[in-house]
Amino acid sequence: ACNGVGASGSDRPFADKVLDLKDACWRFLRSHTICGTTLGSFALVARALIENSNLIKWSLLFKAFSSLFALICGKGYIVGINQIYDISIEKVNKPYLPIAAGDLSVRFAWFLVIFFAVADLSIVGLNFGPFIFSLYTLGLFLGTIYSVPPFRMKRFPVAAFLIIAMVRGFLVNFGVYYATRDTIGLTFWTFWLIFLFKILSKVSLLIEKTLGFLQYQISTFATKLGVRNIVFLGSGILLMNYIVSVLAAIYMPEAFRHWLLIPAHTIFALSLINQVC
């Protein structure tokens, strides 16, 4: 299954081959997306439980971790399907990725993404109601049409941004928080969460591909505006989010921990300005 292991010779210890396969699979999952999903999910769940500590049920711990596993599988499916259909592009822009580097075969990559899809849909379907299952299915569908022909929506900057903003900025955060509050018997909407979704949707613009793919007829904001302009645009959007966060904490201290939010985002804003300038 792993080309790199087989290419290294049959005389290599089996343990080394297993470690190589593990490393290739970890790179295939794109660790930064896994870490981001995990940290974000823990933060949302912790916020809901801290506000309602009297409703914590330790019997739901297994359900919580299985749900996190489902989220990781969902991320693995989306980034995996993208790598399968972007091999030639990744050989130029990200040659360290396992398929592009020849460390993981396309056949085994397909096995992984099918496993991810079946596992996450099964977990969500068994543990949550039709609403969360529908949201989850929508996320997988959007992740599929982002990369897979003939749709390949990543070719269009606005469509690519909307898909990324929907999946990373809304569906994941909305789904995690909704599922948590629904599980412990609470209603959903709170002001700070609406604010969070707005911030995340804007920041998702920065995630949209900033490297141009003109060679493969994939248009991004960077190929249209130029790298320098996209850097200033992205930095400006991020700076605006920091400023809005500070103002929100000043004018609505009851909704936020202003003693933490104001100095933290001020430091982030000054650091961003310093790096850009």
Side-chain angles (χ1 to χ4, degrees):
C2 187
N3 290 341
V5 173
S8 300
S10 57
D11 57 333
R12 296 185 66 235
F14 177 75
D16 289 346
K17 295 181 181 181
V18 172
L19 289 175
D20 287 345
L21 179 58
K22 177 183 176 182
D23 174 71
C25 291
W26 179 241
R27 283 182 286 132
F28 182 72
L29 282 171
R30 306 301 308 279
S31 58
H32 70 280
T33 65
I34 301 302
C35 293
T37 298
T38 302
L39 290 173
S41 298
F42 269 114
L44 288 167
V45 172
R47 175 70 189 242
L49 296 181
I50 289 174
E51 291 177 337
N52 306 276
S53 57
N54 58 310
L55 299 178
I56 295 177
K57 301 176 183 178
W58 295 107
S59 59
L60 296 175
L61 193 61
F62 175 77
K63 183 177 181 180
F65 280 104
S66 63
S67 301
L68 177 60
F69 179 71
L71 284 174
I72 292 174
C73 284
K75 287 287 186 180
Y77 169 83
I78 291 174
V79 299
I81 206 79
N82 185 65
Q83 290 176 64
I84 289 173
Y85 283 96
D86 273 4
I87 298 176
S88 57
I89 296 176
E90 306 297 19
K91 286 182 178 180
V92 176
N93 289 316
K94 300 173 185 175
Y96 53 85
L97 292 180
I99 303 179
D103 296 329
L104 202 67
S105 70
V106 175
R107 178 179 296 182
F108 192 70
W110 272 113
F111 168 79
L112 287 176
V113 296
I114 292 172
F115 167 77
F116 291 148
V118 172
D120 53 29
L121 288 173
S122 299
I123 293 172
V124 175
L126 291 172
N127 287 280
F128 300 98
F131 179 64
I132 291 295
F133 183 79
S134 298
L135 290 179
Y136 202 90
T137 304
L138 175 61
L140 295 185
F141 171 75
L142 292 174
T144 300
I145 65 172
Y146 178 83
S147 301
V148 177
F151 306 101
R152 205 156 170 77
M153 303 306 292
K154 65 185 300 178
R155 295 176 296 164
F156 312 106
V158 175
F161 158 64
L162 291 175
I163 288 176
I164 293 173
M166 174 63 73
V167 175
R168 298 189 185 184
F170 178 74
L171 287 179
V172 172
N173 298 284
F174 178 93
V176 169
Y177 195 72
Y178 180 96
T180 302
R181 292 181 66 89
D182 182 66
T183 299
I184 59 179
L186 296 173
T187 55
F188 176 69
W189 289 107
T190 58
F191 171 79
W192 76 267
L193 193 65
I194 299 174
F195 171 81
L196 175 64
F197 289 153
K198 290 181 178 179
I199 296 295
L200 288 173
S201 296
K202 292 175 182 176
V203 172
S204 294
L205 174 61
L206 305 178
I207 303 174
E208 204 277 333
K209 302 293 186 182
T210 55
L211 289 175
F213 297 131
L214 287 179
Q215 180 181 354
Y216 299 95
Q217 298 181 329
I218 295 178
S219 177
T220 68
F221 284 122
T223 61
K224 288 182 175 295
L225 302 178
V227 175
R228 179 179 175 81
N229 290 333
I230 202 66
V231 167
F232 283 111
L233 174 62
S235 300
I237 293 173
L238 189 56
L239 179 62
M240 180 181 66
N241 280 289
Y242 291 146
I243 294 173
V244 170
S245 298
V246 171
L247 293 176
I250 293 174
Y251 288 101
M252 288 166 285
E254 71 283 355
F256 304 96
R257 289 181 172 81
H258 59 281
W259 55 269
L260 175 62
L261 192 65
I262 293 174
H265 284 77
T266 300
I267 292 173
F268 294 154
L270 293 175
S271 176
L272 176 65
I273 293 172
N274 179 63
Q275 292 184 52
V276 173
C277 297

